[in-house]
Amino acid sequence: MIQGMVNAAYEPVVSLAVQGLSGQSAEIEAVVDTGFSEFLTLPPALLTELRLSSVTNASAILADGSEVAFDVYEVTILWDGLPRRVYAYMSDTTPLVGMRLLDGYDLNIQVKSGGRVAIQPME
């Protein structure tokens, strides 16, 4: 199970370990965003620090209706205790956990400041 907390801005946040190709890693705080349909977003500085290279480009439609192009990276994260290879979209914002990363899991959020966030495999 992955656990987190609702922050003062009412965002559900979880901690994740992200690994680079040479084994270096970083711990990040990511907001669970059910409006984001991909796996993960990561900021450019972290992708550079982990020495990752873009594997492709993709476009996405944002909440305001605008279409934006993103560089996409393949990264390894520690997810529910196990290493998992996923695609991360480079975005100069707070890291986001999207719906593809949550696929096959139940998400429970106690919606209050300091509330519990729990992500666990579906039974």
Side-chain angles (χ1 to χ4, degrees), residues 17-33:
V18 181
Q19 297 177 334
L21 296 175
S22 301
Q24 65 276 42
S25 66
E27 188 81 15
I28 64 165
E29 297 286 313
V31 173
V32 177
D33 183 352

Side-chain angles (χ1 to χ4, degrees), residues 14 51 66 104:
V14 295
R51 299 183 200 148
S66 62

Side-chain angles (χ1 to χ4, degrees), residues 29-116:
E29 297 286 313
V31 173
V32 177
D33 183 352
T34 60
F36 176 52
S37 61
E38 296 301 326
F39 290 96
L40 186 66
T41 67
L42 294 174
L46 178 62
L47 293 164
T48 299
E49 176 185 327
L50 296 175
R51 299 183 200 148
L52 295 169
S53 299
S54 173
V55 294
T56 191
N57 295 318
S59 62
I61 298 175
L62 303 181
D64 67 2
S66 62
E67 186 172 346
V68 179
F70 292 92
D71 290 331
V72 181
Y73 296 74
E74 192 172 17
V75 301
T76 299
I77 61 169
L78 193 58
W79 182 256
D80 200 19
L82 299 171
R84 182 172 172 189
R85 301 275 300 166
V86 299
Y87 292 110
Y89 282 49
M90 182 174 70
S91 180
D92 200 13
T93 186
T94 302
L96 301 175
V97 167
M99 292 298 286
R100 286 192 192 231
L101 195 50
L102 297 170
D103 186 32
Y105 285 77
D106 284 324
L107 170 63
N108 182 274
I109 304 170
Q110 294 176 334
V111 184
K112 64 179 184 174
S113 182
R116 182 173 168 254

